[in-house]
Amino acid sequence: MSTKIQIDDLEFANRPVDGHKGTFGKVAVIGGSLGMSGSITLSATAALRGGAGLVTAAVPQSIQAIVAGYEPSYMTVALPTDVHGQLAAVDADIVTELLDGKSAVAIGPGLGQTKLAADLVLAVLKQADCPVVLDADALNLAAEFELLHGIPRRSRWVITPHPGEFARLTGESISHVSANRESLAERFAAEHELTVVLKGANTVVTDGSRTYVNQTGNSGMATGGSGDILTGLTAAVLGQHADALEGAILAVYVHGIAGDLAAEALSQRGMIASDLLRFLSAAWRNLSHEPSD
Ligand SMILES: NC(=O)C1=CN([C@@H]2O[C@H](COP(=O)(O)OP(=O)(O)OC[C@H]3O[C@@H](n4cnc5c(N)ncnc54)[C@H](O)[C@@H]3O)[C@@H](O)[C@H]2O)[C@@H](O)CC1
Ligand SMILES: Nc1ncnc2c1ncn2[C@@H]1O[C@H](COP(=O)(O)OP(=O)(O)O)[C@@H](O)[C@H]1O
Ligand SMILES: [Mg+2]
């Protein structure tokens, strides 16, 4: 039986006044591909808007210039590509260097679903000793290649599937997932020793023993890229908070507030994912503990 958590049950520390870039976490986001450079730029920018001290986007070399050109505040690292610009084999030492000193890593948005991408996800899961957020294609690959089985946990893992991705992971239909969100998420989290963020209206966040059902957000967020933003935001928050469940809850809650503020200003129909990035700042202000200047 899982304990129900409310947002008011959680305490989130203020940012220390003498904090520096190192205090607030170094985050890596890994993903993107030709045609899906936007996904990872949204994740990387969201990690910055989540308060991370330093953010690095690791992307196929073929899109590095596009990703770097989108936002000057994060760094980029090129992953090797083949002659077609698709992700090639990534050596272990590239992964080691990428993960070195990181407080959290996110992988998956726009990554693609090749065997070489699966190898990269596996290498990250095996090597990371910081929290790992798995989203989108990392989850599709986890389903196809059973990547969540048999890897000793060196760190905390948070998965952020939408119901379609969760259906692939569990082998259930989307309608079954939609009808049994809490119980399926709780069971999967307990079985796989990780935190599940099952997205959609009333996102469920659970580690199997504690469960939170989110009330923020709206269907204006059902627009391409909204989830990519949650991925980077979650990694940023996990890099600053010790508890995976509580960090994931905070990210989901604030992401939803940004969505509500965006809808209020722009309308549910008119808002797009990148608007959420701009409303994240105001969303943080809405939290009572966040100083207003
Ligand atoms: N700008 C970009 O480059 C973007 C790239 N993206 C990438 O595109 C790839 C494919 O991801 P998608 O998620 O679009 O495609 P998927 O095929 O994984 O999922 C879409 C399907 O999942 C189901 N689904 C999703 N949310 C649901 C809900 N709340 N209730 C019931 N069913 C639901 C629906 O059947 C929907 O058609 C990923 O790599 C992703 O990261 C997307 O993130 C969109 C933006
Ligand atoms: N009706 C809704 N109410 C609240 N939040 C929603 C709604 N529809 C979508 N969202 C949120 O928007 C995000 C969509 O994520 P996802 O499906 O992964 O999008 P993408 O892959 O295009 O970025 C999730 O955080 C989800 O909870
Ligand atoms: Mg997604």
Side-chain angles (χ1 to χ4, degrees):
M1 199 53 194
S2 180
T3 308
K4 275 273 156 51
I5 306 250
Q6 309 292 330
I7 195 75
D8 293 339
D9 298 337
L10 307 182
E11 282 187 17
F12 301 108
N14 281 335
R15 284 164 72 92
V17 286
D18 59 350
H20 52 82
K21 279 190 288 189
T23 316
F24 301 122
K26 297 179 181 172
V27 171
V29 298
I30 307 170
S33 54
L34 284 171
M36 293 204 278
S37 54
S39 56
I40 205 72
T41 63
L42 292 170
S43 301
T45 312
L48 286 166
R49 296 262 182 223
L54 278 172
V55 175
T56 302
V59 301
Q61 187 174 15
S62 50
I63 63 166
Q64 185 185 16
I66 300 167
V67 173
Y70 178 78
E71 167 58 59
S73 313
Y74 52 63
M75 293 167 285
T76 59
V77 164
L79 300 173
T81 49
D82 63 19
V83 290
H84 304 292
Q86 306 295 339
L87 186 73
V90 181
D91 291 345
D93 53 344
I94 296 179
V95 177
T96 306
E97 200 176 321
L98 181 61
L99 296 178
D100 184 43
K102 294 298 183 295
S103 323
V105 56
I107 185 163
L111 183 65
Q113 296 183 43
T114 62
K115 175 68 173 65
L116 292 171
D119 293 343
L120 176 59
V121 175
L122 190 59
V124 168
L125 287 176
K126 282 184 169 166
Q127 286 193 44
D129 53 16
C130 61
V132 182
V133 181
L134 294 147
D135 183 37
D137 289 328
L139 297 176
N140 296 327
L141 291 164
E144 188 178 349
F145 296 97
E146 301 200 345
L147 302 181
L148 301 181
H149 299 268
I151 304 176
R153 298 291 185 275
R154 300 186 58 212
S155 61
R156 296 165 289 140
W157 298 355
V158 175
I159 65 169
T160 60
H162 59 50
E165 289 154 350
F166 198 59
R168 291 178 199 123
L169 277 173
T170 55
E172 304 285 358
S173 65
I174 294 180
S175 57
H176 185 72
V177 166
S178 299
N180 301 277
R181 287 167 59 82
E182 283 179 51
S183 59
L184 289 176
E186 285 166 1
R187 193 165 67 196
F188 195 89
E191 271 175 23
H192 294 270
E193 297 173 65
L194 42 71
T195 297
V196 173
V197 175
L198 179 54
K199 297 183 295 191
N202 302 119
T203 292
V204 175
V205 187
T206 180
D207 61 7
S209 59
R210 297 171 294 167
T211 300
Y212 166 78
V213 179
N214 191 49
Q215 307 293 329
T216 61
N218 60 81
S219 65
M221 298 167 76
T223 179
S226 294
D228 303 331
I229 288 170
L230 181 67
T231 312
L233 181 61
T234 304
V237 175
L238 292 177
Q240 299 166 74
H241 292 275
D243 186 275
L245 182 87
E246 294 190 5
I249 292 172
L250 178 59
V252 165
Y253 179 73
V254 170
H255 181 248
I257 293 179
D260 289 340
L261 293 171
E264 205 176 297
L266 305 169
S267 81
Q268 291 189 17
R269 270 178 223 273
M271 63 192 269
I272 59 173
S274 54
D275 294 324
L276 295 179
L277 294 171
R278 281 179 277 119
F279 283 94
L280 268 176
S281 311
W284 285 117
R285 283 241 164 106
N286 267 29
L287 288 184
S288 55
H289 72 274
E290 187 73 2
S292 59
D293 53 10

